[in-house]
Amino acid sequence: MAGRTCDECGGTSFSPRNDSILKRKLPFVQGPLMLCNGCGAKYLPCECGALFTRVHLTIDVEGMRSTCPSCGKKNAEIEAFIQRGGPEGYQ
């Protein structure tokens, strides 16, 4: 499937995972994330099935995307998060 390659390790095998901490800290994380079976990186999935962006409590916003690389859908919450420079205000 297009758009399902891990940015960290290049892996293509993923499993759905719930992460209550990321859901609590990052409001744009609402459902299950996709966990890379190769390195453990977690991704927010897009409605089209692609990996929208990597999410982590300590990820540098430089490594995040506000637009799906597969279908081009934009996420305004993620874009605002990136523009702020991270989780400030999401305590």
Side-chain angles (χ1 to χ4, degrees):
M1 170 182 276
R4 291 195 54 143
T5 301
C6 179
D7 295 339
E8 297 300 310
C9 73
T12 57
S13 177
F14 297 86
S15 302
R17 290 288 188 275
N18 283 309
D19 189 313
S20 60
I21 294 172
L22 286 176
K23 283 182 184 179
R24 192 169 51 251
K25 296 286 187 178
L26 306 173
F28 50 83
V29 176
Q30 297 181 5
L33 298 170
M34 298 305 292
L35 176 78
C36 175
N37 292 328
C39 70
K42 293 176 186 171
Y43 290 86
L44 186 67
C46 183
E47 294 170 3
C48 75
L51 302 175
F52 196 97
T53 190
R54 182 164 182 222
V55 291
H56 190 278
L57 290 178
T58 61
I59 192 169
D60 183 356
V61 294
E62 298 287 325
M64 293 184 74
R65 312 182 263 270
S66 61
T67 303
C68 176
S70 185
C71 72
K73 180 180 177 176
K74 288 190 171 277
N75 184 306
E77 277 189 282
I78 295 173
E79 189 167 10
F81 180 84
I82 293 169
Q83 288 175 355
R84 268 194 315 278
E88 293 78 29
Y90 277 109
Q91 305 304 322

